[in-house]
């Protein structure tokens, strides 16, 4: 079924940054398919999207299972029509923070399996869909990575490596899809207040107070969502391949 509203697919859309992105896209005129590994709390998100005029549906999906991506795309398209926007938001942090010399192969493989391998093959599947499907609206692929794509944290090396890989993923797909007019972007959040950062909130409260973030505050999920909505609208597609830092100036080199 199709509607006059373009369809966006947001991975990890059940909570945090993903839920905020989905809500902002609903307000911007998109219908929403959202994915996550489980459905806890998803009904409230779906109802919020619907209250803002969107058709919305949850699709349970584990990003690490690349072999399931084609079926996910088929299910999403059968429900909502062609996909105009993919937001690669789902990801996991390092299982434990600690000595770089002690990172296990299991932790490394899990983090890269979700954050990089899973995202690559889902992006590939959506790109195949986009390049073989007629379209009437702007199309975009937006990957939410992290300032850790460039700023090193030795206590969570596997996470940083996975995010650095997403930066190259953006460049590669931007080049491959440029002649199709598909905008491909990387959004790098900084210190963002979400359920995933709640465990280290006190640490970052102090670091922000000490000047870590030039704007002097936590980032909010809405800060990231506002940026994604601008990109999804297609008004910046000639800037394909670009990185947008949503970090209050954190990543600006200073001396």
């Amino acid at each position: 079924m199709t509607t006059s509203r373009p369809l966006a697919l947001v991975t990890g859309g059940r909570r945090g940054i993903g839920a905020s992105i989905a809500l902002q896209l609903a307000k911007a005129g998109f219908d929403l398919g959202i994915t996550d590994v489980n459905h806890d709390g998803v009904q409230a998100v779906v109802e919020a999207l619907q209250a803002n005029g969107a058709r919305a549906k949850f699709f349970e999906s584990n990003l690490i299972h690349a072999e399931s991506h084609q079926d996910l795309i088929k299910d999403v398209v059968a429900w909502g029509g062609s996909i105009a926007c993919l937001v690669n938001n789902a990801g996991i942090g390092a299982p434990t923070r600690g000595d770089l010399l002690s990172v296990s192969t299991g932790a490394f493989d899990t983090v890269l399996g979700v954050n990089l391998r899973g995202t690559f093959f889902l992006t590939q599947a959506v790109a195949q869909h986009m390049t073989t499907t007629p379209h009437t609206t702007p199309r975009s692929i937006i990957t939410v990575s992290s300032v850790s794509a460039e700023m090193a944290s030795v206590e969570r090396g596997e996470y940083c490596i996975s995010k650095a890989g997403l930066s190259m993923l953006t460049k590669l797909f931007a080049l491959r899809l440029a002649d199709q007019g598909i905008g491909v972007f990387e959004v790098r959040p900084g210190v963002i207040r979400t359920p995933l950062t709640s465990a280290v909130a006190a640490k970052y409260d102090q670091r922000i107070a000490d000047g870590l973030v030039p704007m002097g505050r936590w980032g909010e999920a809405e800060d990231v969502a506002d940026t994604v909505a601008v990109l999804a609208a297609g008004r910046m597609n000639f800037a394909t391949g670009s990185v947008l830092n949503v970090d209050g100036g954190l990543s600006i080199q200073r001396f």
Side-chain angles (χ1 to χ4, degrees), residues 1-12:
M1 178 179 178
T2 59
T3 71
S4 60
R5 296 169 64 103
L7 175 65
L9 176 63
V10 179
T11 67

Side-chain angles (χ1 to χ4, degrees), residues 7-241:
L7 175 65
L9 176 63
V10 179
T11 67
R14 179 175 60 89
R15 62 176 184 166
I17 291 173
S20 290
I21 289 171
L23 182 60
Q24 191 62 26
L25 291 179
K27 293 177 180 178
F30 284 83
D31 288 334
L32 272 303
I34 59 174
T35 76
D36 216 307
V37 294
N38 66 67
H39 62 270
D40 293 347
V42 76
Q43 187 59 36
V45 177
V46 170
E47 290 174 359
L49 300 177
Q50 293 171 339
N52 281 276
R55 295 176 65 242
K57 185 175 176 64
F58 171 70
F59 297 86
E60 189 168 329
S61 174
N62 191 332
L63 193 57
I64 202 169
H65 298 314
E67 67 280 2
S68 70
H69 293 341
Q70 290 290 351
D71 287 340
L72 170 65
I73 300 308
K74 290 178 182 176
D75 290 345
V76 171
V77 171
W79 166 74
S82 62
I83 300 169
C85 174
L86 168 65
V87 181
N88 288 315
N89 168 75
I92 60 173
T96 58
R97 297 189 180 211
D99 189 350
L100 183 67
L101 304 185
S102 300
V103 174
S104 69
T105 55
F108 187 93
D109 290 347
T110 298
V111 173
L112 268 75
V114 175
N115 293 358
L116 184 54
R117 183 177 183 273
T119 300
F120 176 89
F121 285 107
L122 180 61
T123 302
Q124 181 190 72
V126 172
Q128 290 169 350
H129 161 75
M130 286 182 172
T131 56
T132 56
T133 304
H135 66 96
T136 58
T137 58
R139 296 169 299 167
S140 60
I141 295 173
I142 303 160
T143 298
V144 180
S145 64
S146 168
V147 292
S148 294
E150 187 170 322
M151 302 177 73
S153 300
V154 294
E155 75 279 7
R156 49 189 185 131
E158 65 271 51
Y159 177 80
C160 294
I161 290 169
S162 73
K163 296 301 183 177
L166 292 179
S167 190
M168 179 54 71
L169 177 152
T170 297
K171 295 183 178 82
L172 293 169
F173 278 97
L175 289 172
R176 175 60 179 83
L177 302 175
D179 65 354
Q180 301 279 333
I182 300 169
V184 184
F185 304 96
E186 179 189 357
V187 174
R188 291 182 183 171
V191 183
I192 307 296
R193 195 188 313 275
T194 71
L196 293 179
T197 55
S198 60
V200 292
K203 169 187 173 181
Y204 281 108
D205 282 341
Q206 186 59 55
R207 294 195 67 187
I208 291 169
D210 291 341
L212 175 68
V213 179
M215 290 192 75
R217 68 169 177 88
W218 281 80
E220 303 294 341
E222 292 77 13
D223 293 316
V224 183
D226 288 343
T227 303
V228 170
V230 171
L231 298 172
R235 295 192 297 270
M236 292 183 64
N237 273 9
F238 200 64
T240 190

